[in-house]
Amino acid sequence: MRCADNWKEYELIDCSDGEKLERWGNITLIRPDPQVIWHSEKKHPLWKKADARYIRSKTGGGSWEVYKKIPDAWSVNYRDLRFGVKTMGFKHTGIFPEQAVNWDTLADIIKSAGRPVKVLNLFGYTGCATIACLKAGASVCHVDASKGMVQWAKENARLSKVDDKPVRWIVDDCFKFVKREIRRGNTYDIIIMDPPSYGRGPNKEIWRLEDNIYDFCKTCTEILTKDSLALFLNSYSTGLSAAVMEYVLRESVAIRLGGSVSSDEIGLRVSETGGVLPCGATAIWRKE
């Protein structure tokens, strides 16, 4: 498992009984996590002194229970990157801290390329990977269907002082965008994909990751340059393991373009116990 161990302003303090206790800067949150199936004793004092807790509703969804006054938004640093944090609906904060292992890998690939690098970040969310690529010297096309998420990504670019770098912010359906890029003849050296497990399109089309990801990866090979560098595929779906994603990239990308594929779970170390909480998986195709 690849662990995001380089955080200073984020900490997974403890986890038990379906919840995790986290520090985001100087603010402590308790959030649900379905992976936490153990019932270890909650000894850390911050379990009883957290600033806010997300409580799930029995009818679906949930809400934040705030115990101390916290700002509507604040920010945290990762290395030389800076990101905004908010207590959003459905337990999210705008950052998936375990993805820092991929931000570092992306930066290494871009810096070692020795040439200009074009990156396409699909399902770009709040832009953390986009910012990491811009900091490393790449030009980026950031695509997400949510106008609000793209606006947040722009704010993260400003916080990290890369808003003057070569970046295109696109509010669009990622599948339709890729098809248009094929028709336009646009290509990229690196593609990052962080697709949802399930969703509905504007015409009530149903997206299920397991049903659609193989064909979408094959389609994306058409916009990789002949000297392309990498394709990153992330998943938080229990139905799509790291090994399955590796096989998908091997059959959809490597068989056509050569190169190698690797995969692994990504996770966060729990400071109270020293254990590691798995948080998702990433498969990476690389041309080398």
Side-chain angles (χ1 to χ4, degrees):
M1 183 182 296
R2 298 158 62 220
C3 296
D5 286 335
N6 294 316
W7 279 97
K8 304 297 183 185
E9 296 192 4
Y10 170 84
E11 179 185 6
L12 177 53
I13 302 168
D14 198 8
C15 51
S16 180
D17 280 327
E19 293 182 310
K20 52 190 178 185
L21 174 66
E22 306 168 293
R23 178 179 61 83
W24 296 85
N26 60 358
I27 293 174
T28 307
L29 303 177
I30 298 173
R31 296 192 295 155
D33 191 312
Q35 296 274 59
V36 183
I37 62 173
W38 45 91
H39 308 289
S40 51
E41 187 178 352
K42 296 179 177 179
K43 296 180 180 180
H44 199 286
L46 285 175
W47 280 111
K48 297 180 180 180
K49 297 180 180 179
D51 296 294
R53 183 181 213 149
Y54 188 86
I55 306 294
R56 286 196 183 279
S57 169
K58 293 181 180 179
T59 58
S63 61
W64 287 95
E65 199 170 78
V66 179
Y67 307 123
K68 303 173 188 177
K69 186 175 181 179
I70 60 175
D72 293 334
W74 65 102
S75 58
V76 296
N77 290 327
Y78 177 75
R79 297 188 184 273
D80 58 347
L81 313 176
R82 191 163 185 82
F83 306 123
V85 182
K86 301 176 187 176
T87 49
M88 302 164 62
F90 197 64
K91 79 177 182 179
H92 294 309
T93 62
I95 302 174
F96 291 93
E98 64 278 359
Q99 284 291 333
V101 294
N102 287 330
W103 309 335
D104 290 343
T105 302
L106 283 161
D108 289 343
I109 293 172
I110 292 165
K111 290 176 181 178
S112 63
R115 59 178 175 86
V117 174
K118 288 178 61 181
V119 176
L120 175 61
N121 188 9
L122 297 170
F123 315 96
Y125 195 49
T126 59
C128 297
T130 292
I131 308 309
C133 292
L134 290 170
K135 273 284 187 180
S139 61
V140 183
C141 180
H142 174 106
V143 186
D144 196 280
S146 167
K147 184 177 181 180
M149 291 301 104
V150 172
Q151 186 58 44
W152 192 337
K154 289 180 180 180
E155 175 60 17
N156 281 335
R158 187 192 67 78
L159 287 171
S160 290
K161 299 181 180 179
V162 292
D163 49 327
D164 61 337
K165 302 297 182 182
V167 57
R168 295 168 62 206
W169 304 107
I170 308 292
V171 179
D172 201 353
D173 177 273
C174 290
F175 312 104
K176 294 177 181 177
F177 177 81
V178 168
K179 289 178 180 178
R180 284 199 296 273
E181 290 293 85
I182 292 170
R183 293 196 295 269
R184 288 187 286 236
N186 290 335
T187 56
Y188 299 87
D189 302 297
I190 297 173
I191 297 177
I192 307 163
M193 299 170 58
D194 201 347
S197 299
Y198 177 85
R200 288 185 180 272
N203 297 315
K204 298 184 178 181
E205 311 97 320
I206 295 176
W207 156 267
R208 289 188 181 88
L209 185 58
E210 295 90 335
D211 296 340
N212 295 277
I213 195 60
Y214 172 75
D215 289 336
F216 190 51
C217 286
K218 282 188 70 175
T219 300
C220 284
T221 63
E222 298 185 48
I223 55 171
L224 283 167
T225 62
K226 64 179 182 179
D227 298 318
S228 52
L229 298 170
L231 187 151
F232 284 63
L233 174 60
N234 296 310
S235 171
Y236 288 87
S237 171
T238 55
L240 201 64
S241 68
V244 169
M245 289 197 299
E246 180 174 334
Y247 204 103
V248 166
L249 291 191
R250 194 178 304 281
E251 291 299 306
S252 62
V253 184
I255 200 168
R256 178 174 178 177
L257 301 177
S260 62
V261 182
S262 62
S263 67
D264 212 337
E265 288 185 291
I266 56 176
L268 296 165
R269 200 169 305 279
V270 184
S271 56
E272 181 75 355
T273 66
V276 176
L277 177 67
C279 300
T282 300
I284 305 172
W285 167 80
R286 295 187 67 169
K287 189 64 175 290
E288 63 183 19

